[in-house]
């Protein structure tokens, strides 16, 4: 049953993952430990679109691509892929893995649940891994739209359903930034004792009630639990084939019951990342942008950041890349704080990223405001004899709507587009649709793909790609007709094109000699619509994920599938 395969990727990987040691050396092997993969259909996604049967990874990089040969020795491990399809490690150029790693409770991604029974089975399977009494949670990254096809009304699982599926753990699930949510009987008792209003059916209303529940859960969290949560988040990513994230930060928290799922403590938010890095326990590459949201028109916080942090600094596992997805001001590109922040980033010669949600601000679409604002800053900078932004790869993200005129303007500024898929899959409508993938590619501008998980969207690249390829939302409605891409074009946005996107086109995105040894072996052949009909694209997962030449997820023998069959109702 496909569902159990998907669960396996999500949940078991934590216990199977081997740590990646960023500076791994083994004195017994003069040339280091090597990994050879043979007998695969390995799509390199290189400029010639080569498909090879074998690769050798040595010292974390592809040392040989498609030359076969060579046997096992004490320093080389060989894995036979038995004809399976492999692709470069997926690069998610805009997501919020750091926020996911800060979630309270035992996080349970619901992104593969396509019905109420599947959501319940996922929660039940997660509970079976967790000591009785501990919270099982799912905060952000799913929506009721997934559970019920159009046109029946959407709903959460009820209290009775969740209590039957998970009787011995409190459960809390919550959509997006601030709910609504739902709980089971054990959860209701605890939440009500801590000031949360819960309906008789287990419902927790959006905003104040959901945020009170989140505040309570966060108040019980320890540093050790946060470390484990980030490891779980990376294990989940490895299970779906994401090997590199460009994290886009969080909103400043105030530490009370007004904070939503996307708020974090800016002083402490990266503690787990730094600790796991220092211990050599990162199983994904996590590169970061710093999000700046501040009302003060002089943007003192952004100024301090630019003055005191090294730009484009770090190593291949953890790297500071730029400012984003906000540059002073608030949620929208408006006002002096945003313009001043933009000027400062240009003058400091940093990379910059802003999101466009396609909303009108003062009657003007946000994408026009951003691109016009960037052009104004560019004009000022060049007039002042400074370098300007043309070589900085400034990025407009999500971009549900844009036209060719503005694509050409952004292209003229050396800018690029990060397109998102599963946000619209989750909550998109016939009018709230896009991005116009074909229009963007036809413009010739640099573009790459992201999930924008973990609040308003799902992380799985396969759910994101499903939307790009089919144009259908989670309720089964075709909403992006005329703007879909074929499978290879779509995957290229998530691999080769994202190498450029991360200022690392010489290091990642394709399987070529000298590039990072990051690769994903898929559960089925994505490139074959006979093996994987369109509707099944969103069920794909990894069965073997390699990061930096190390296996960080391994389900080639299908043991996860068997394990999870036993856990299903
Ligand atoms: Zn984002």
């Amino acid at each position: 049953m496909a569902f159990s395969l998907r669960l396996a990727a999500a949940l078991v990987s934590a216990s199977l993952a081997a740590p990646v040691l960023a500076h791994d050396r083994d004195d017994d092997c003069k040339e280091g430990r090597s990994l050879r993969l043979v007998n695969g259909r390995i799509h390199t996604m290189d400029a010639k679109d080569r498909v090879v049967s074998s690769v050798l990874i040595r010292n974390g990089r592809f040392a040989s691509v498609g030359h076969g040969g060579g046997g096992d020795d004490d320093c080389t491990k060989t894995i036979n892929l038995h004809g399976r399809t492999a692709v470069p490690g997926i690069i998610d150029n805009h997501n919020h893995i750091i926020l996911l790693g800060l979630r309270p409770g035992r996080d349970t991604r619901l992104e593969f649940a396509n019905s109420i029974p599947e959501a319940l089975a996922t929660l039940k399977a997660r509970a079976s891994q967790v000591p009785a009494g501990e919270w099982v949670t799912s905060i952000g990254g799913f929506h009721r739209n997934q559970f019920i096809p159009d046109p029946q009304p959407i709903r959460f699982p009820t209290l009775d359903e969740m209590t039957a599926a998970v009787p011995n753990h409190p459960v809390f699930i919550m959509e997006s930034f601030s709910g609504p949510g739902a709980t089971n009987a054990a959860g209701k008792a605890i939440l009500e004792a801590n000031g949360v209003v819960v309906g008789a059916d287990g419902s927790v209303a959006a905003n104040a009630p959901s945020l009170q529940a989140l505040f309570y859960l966060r108040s019980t969290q320890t540093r050790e639990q946060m470390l484990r949560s980030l490891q779980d988040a990376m294990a989940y990513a490895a299970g779906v084939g994401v090997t590199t994230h460009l994290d886009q930060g969080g909103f400043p928290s105030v530490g009370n019951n007004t904070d939503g799922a996307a708020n974090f403590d800016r002083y402490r938010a990266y503690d787990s990342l730094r600790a796991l890095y220092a211990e050599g326990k990162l199983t994904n590459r996590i590169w970061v942008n710093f999000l700046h949201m501040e009302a003060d028109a002089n943007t003192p916080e952004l100024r301090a950041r630019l003055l005191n942090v090294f730009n484009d600094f770090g190593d291949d596992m953890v790297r500071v890349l730029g400012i984003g997805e906000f540059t002073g001001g608030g949620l929208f590109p408006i006002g002096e704080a945003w313009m001043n922040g933009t000027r400062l980033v240009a003058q400091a010669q940093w990379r910059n990223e802003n999101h466009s949600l396609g909303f009108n601000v003062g009657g003007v679409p946000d994408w026009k405001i951003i691109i016009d604002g960037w052009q104004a800053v560019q004009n000022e900078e060049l007039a002042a004899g400074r370098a300007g932004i043309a070589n900085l790869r400034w990025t407009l993200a999500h971009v549900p709507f844009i036209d060719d005129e503005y694509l050409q303007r952004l292209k003229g500024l050396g800018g690029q587009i990060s397109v998102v898929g599963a946000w619209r899959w989750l909550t998109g409508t016939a009018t709230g649709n896009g991005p116009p993938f074909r229009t963007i590619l036809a413009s010739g501008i640099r573009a790459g793909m992201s999930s924008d998980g973990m609040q308003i969207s799902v992380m799985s690249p396969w759910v994101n790609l499903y939307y790009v390829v089919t144009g259908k939302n989670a309720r089964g409605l075709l909403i992006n007709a005329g703007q879909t891409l074929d499978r290879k074009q779509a995957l290229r946005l998530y691999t080769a094109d994202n190498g450029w996107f991360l200022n690392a086109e010489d290091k990642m995105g394709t399987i070529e000699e000298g590039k990072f040894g990051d690769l994903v072996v898929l559960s089925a052949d994505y490139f074959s619509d006979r093996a994987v009909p369109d509707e099944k694209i969103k069920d794909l997962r990894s069965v073997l994920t390699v990061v930096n030449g190390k296996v960080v997820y391994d389900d080639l023998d299908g043991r996860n599938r068997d394990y999870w069959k036993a856990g299903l109702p």
Side-chain angles (χ1 to χ4, degrees):
M1 159 178 204
F3 181 55
S4 58
L5 299 178
R6 302 192 298 257
L7 277 175
L11 302 170
V12 182
S13 48
S15 57
L16 301 177
V20 172
L21 300 175
H23 311 287
D24 194 31
R25 292 223 70 88
D26 188 328
D27 292 340
D28 296 336
C29 300
K30 279 204 177 86
E31 294 185 79
R33 297 273 176 197
S34 301
L35 178 67
R36 188 188 302 278
L37 304 176
V38 299
N39 201 17
R41 288 189 51 77
I42 302 170
H43 291 252
T44 65
M45 306 301 283
D46 70 4
K48 291 180 183 160
D49 232 351
R50 284 199 305 157
V51 180
V52 302
S53 63
S54 68
V55 294
L56 175 70
I57 307 174
R58 178 174 289 150
N59 292 326
R61 305 260 179 160
F62 289 109
S64 172
V65 174
H67 300 303
D72 252 346
D73 58 49
D74 287 347
C75 293
T76 304
K77 180 182 181 187
T78 298
I79 297 176
N80 189 335
L81 299 182
H82 297 291
R84 286 184 183 274
T85 297
V87 299
I90 301 293
I91 301 163
D92 194 346
N93 80 36
H94 180 127
N95 75 25
H96 298 272
I97 181 117
I98 295 295
L99 282 167
L100 183 62
L102 293 167
R103 295 279 199 266
R106 297 288 191 132
D107 175 74
T108 311
R109 294 293 85 196
L110 292 175
E111 38 192 64
F112 291 114
N114 293 311
S115 66
I116 297 275
E118 288 188 351
L120 293 168
T122 307
L123 293 166
K124 176 177 179 165
R126 181 56 157 158
S128 75
Q129 294 182 315
V130 173
E134 277 199 46
W135 280 92
V136 170
T137 56
S138 187
I139 295 164
F142 75 96
H143 193 278
R144 285 158 288 163
N145 285 341
Q146 288 167 246
F147 305 149
I148 316 271
D150 186 75
Q152 294 146 256
I154 59 172
R155 68 172 179 90
F156 280 107
T158 64
L159 180 137
D160 288 344
E161 288 170 333
M162 280 203 283
T163 303
V166 185
N168 300 319
H169 300 74
V171 175
F172 178 64
I173 67 176
M174 185 192 109
E175 285 173 2
S176 192
F177 300 109
S178 55
T183 187
N184 66 350
K188 184 174 193 281
I190 298 170
L191 292 177
E192 285 180 335
N194 288 280
V196 181
V197 178
V198 181
D201 60 352
S203 61
V204 181
N207 303 316
S210 285
L211 294 182
Q212 177 66 25
L214 187 56
F215 177 62
Y216 163 70
L217 288 167
R218 282 174 168 158
S219 74
T220 67
Q221 216 178 358
T222 66
R223 294 304 318 169
E224 287 68 32
Q225 288 168 344
M226 289 183 188
L227 270 182
R228 189 189 59 206
S229 287
L230 183 58
Q231 288 176 294
D232 284 355
M234 289 188 292
Y236 180 80
V240 295
V242 176
T243 57
T244 300
H245 311 263
L246 176 51
D247 184 80
Q248 304 281 341
F251 306 148
S253 67
V254 288
N256 64 20
N257 62 1
T258 64
D259 288 331
N263 294 75
F264 65 27
D265 175 346
R266 288 171 295 160
Y267 292 112
R268 300 272 69 86
Y270 302 96
D271 284 1
S272 299
L273 176 66
R274 290 158 56 210
L276 294 173
Y277 173 74
E279 292 172 27
K281 288 183 176 168
L282 291 180
T283 54
N284 304 163
R285 304 181 193 278
I286 300 182
W287 295 16
V288 299
N289 277 351
F290 291 118
L291 185 152
H292 278 271
M293 205 180 222
E294 55 183 324
D296 188 326
N298 293 314
T299 64
E301 293 174 4
L302 177 58
R303 186 181 296 272
R305 174 88 66 190
L306 297 169
L307 285 169
N308 294 295
V309 174
F310 296 138
N311 185 14
D312 194 24
F313 187 76
D315 68 10
D316 296 336
M317 295 305 292
V318 176
R319 192 163 195 89
V320 171
L321 212 60
I323 300 299
E325 59 186 295
F326 303 111
T327 315
L331 205 56
F332 297 105
I334 186 168
E336 272 309 291
W338 174 73
M339 269 305 277
N340 284 339
T342 304
R343 276 189 196 102
L344 284 178
V345 178
Q347 285 165 18
Q349 290 285 289
W350 276 56
R351 187 190 160 100
N352 188 25
E353 177 159 350
N354 280 177
H355 81 164
S356 161
L357 296 176
F359 293 149
N360 288 347
V361 183
V364 183
D366 56 4
W367 42 276
K368 287 192 178 180
I369 296 172
I370 293 166
I371 294 170
D372 286 342
W374 289 358
Q375 183 67 60
V377 167
Q378 172 75 336
N379 295 346
E380 289 172 13
E381 290 303 294
L382 296 183
R386 288 189 289 263
I389 66 171
N391 296 316
L392 301 178
R393 302 187 188 183
W394 281 21
T395 301
L396 190 64
H398 314 336
V399 201
F401 310 116
I402 195 163
D403 62 22
D404 193 59
E405 179 192 345
Y406 272 80
L407 285 165
Q408 296 305 333
R409 288 190 192 192
L410 182 58
K411 191 176 164 189
L413 290 167
Q416 54 185 3
I417 296 276
S418 166
V419 286
V420 68
W423 169 43
R424 291 314 214 190
W425 175 75
L426 210 52
T427 54
T429 62
T431 50
N433 59 359
F437 298 110
R438 286 193 195 177
T439 304
I440 290 166
L441 290 199
S443 76
I445 197 169
R446 293 277 183 176
M449 180 93 196
S450 78
S451 71
D452 199 23
M454 314 306 164
Q455 285 75 238
I456 61 161
S457 186
V458 308
M459 191 210 295
S460 166
W462 312 104
V463 178
N464 279 272
L465 288 167
Y466 168 81
Y467 178 74
V468 182
V469 169
T470 68
K472 285 191 201 170
N473 69 12
R475 305 210 76 201
L477 301 173
L478 178 62
I479 63 169
N480 208 27
Q483 290 290 350
T484 58
L485 301 180
D486 72 41
R487 295 184 189 203
K488 186 162 277 181
Q489 283 176 317
L491 185 65
R492 189 167 291 283
L493 289 169
Y494 247 136
T495 54
D497 294 342
N498 270 348
W500 172 273
F501 222 90
L502 267 67
N503 295 2
E505 62 273 21
D506 57 336
K507 290 181 177 175
M508 66 165 98
T510 61
I511 296 172
E512 294 181 90
E513 288 164 19
K515 289 196 174 178
F516 293 164
D518 299 354
L519 169 146
V520 183
V521 181
L522 301 180
S523 55
D525 184 2
Y526 167 78
F527 299 97
S528 161
D529 54 16
R530 217 154 45 91
V532 181
D534 282 356
E535 284 306 312
K536 298 287 182 191
I537 292 174
K538 61 182 186 299
D539 298 342
L540 286 164
R541 63 182 182 105
S542 169
V543 292
L544 185 81
T545 302
V546 178
V547 173
N548 213 32
K550 305 289 193 300
V551 173
V552 296
Y553 177 75
D554 181 357
D555 190 35
L556 279 173
D557 62 6
R559 65 190 135 163
N560 288 357
R561 178 184 53 214
D562 293 339
Y563 179 90
W564 283 112
K565 267 182 187 164
L568 289 172

